[in-house]
Amino acid sequence: MQIVPHPHPALRFRSVPVVRIDDALRKIVREMFELMYAAEGIGLAANQVGLPYRLFILNLTADPEESDQEHVFINPEITQRKGNQEAEEGCLSLPKLYHQVRRADEVTVEAYDIDGTGFEVTVKDLASRAVQHELDHLDGVLFIDRLTEAGKREVAPKVLDFETAFRQGQASGSIPSDAELQAELHRLVTLQS
Ligand code: CO
């Protein structure tokens, strides 16, 4: 398992609901936490590790010692949004790229935890931003899609650098082709159902 960079097709894939919360899934989630901590992130969506399933993880402290701050959101849905906030955002699939993003200030989200128990939580500030950012991933949306036109122009050169590096990797054979990566995503969707 590894974190995939933009423009990996998994990041543009509309993920499918998780149908089983079992030991295999708990193992995947554990590996995701390890990768997230290694990358010093506060959130990670399953499609960022090439898995087209609707789940993401958060630990806003980014500190593996603070395991009580670990949260897993399986099949999450935002049921209410309130207000607006704007703050800087980044993404482990676009390392070292940051920009101001406008988001809802407060969101209520329903999801299942890693034991399969349903929960509902209302979050503000950073937690709210992280939930919206990660849930976007599950729909194939990146934070760079949420920028103003001016913001998109500002980040365009860096985004192009990611795209150039990825295409070079494909040309050299170190990264599979888009067709192969798409086939793998569809295989993983079939596995799940
Ligand atoms: Co992200």
Side-chain angles (χ1 to χ4, degrees), residues 14-18 52-55 73-76 135 138-139:
R14 198 179 149 81
S15 297
V16 298
V18 171
Y53 309 135
R54 299 189 77 78
L55 80 96
F73 292 74
I74 298 169
N75 298 343
L135 216 148
L138 306 184
D139 293 322

Side-chain angles (χ1 to χ4, degrees), residues 43 45 48 90-93 133-134 137 142-143:
Q48 288 184 277
C91 180
L92 295 180
S93 292
H133 176 117
E134 300 308 333
H137 272 303
L142 297 173
F143 84 94

Side-chain angles (χ1 to χ4, degrees), residues 26-41:
R26 282 184 272 274
K27 186 166 175 286
I28 286 169
V29 164
R30 204 56 250 159
E31 274 186 68
M32 285 174 63
F33 272 113
E34 302 312 321
L35 283 177
M36 185 185 82
Y37 292 133
E40 297 179 351

Side-chain angles (χ1 to χ4, degrees), residues 151-184:
K152 283 179 184 164
R153 279 195 296 277
E154 264 174 63
V155 301
K158 282 187 177 172
V159 172
L160 186 60
D161 286 346
F162 285 109
E163 290 165 357
T164 304
F166 196 82
R167 299 306 171 205
Q168 280 172 348
Q170 288 179 315
S172 73
S174 64
I175 301 173
S177 69
D178 276 9
E180 288 168 304
L181 294 171
Q182 287 286 2
E184 175 63 5

Side-chain angles (χ1 to χ4, degrees), residues 138-150:
L138 306 184
D139 293 322
V141 174
L142 297 173
F143 84 94
I144 52 174
D145 306 335
R146 298 279 186 201
L147 305 184
T148 59
E149 288 309 311

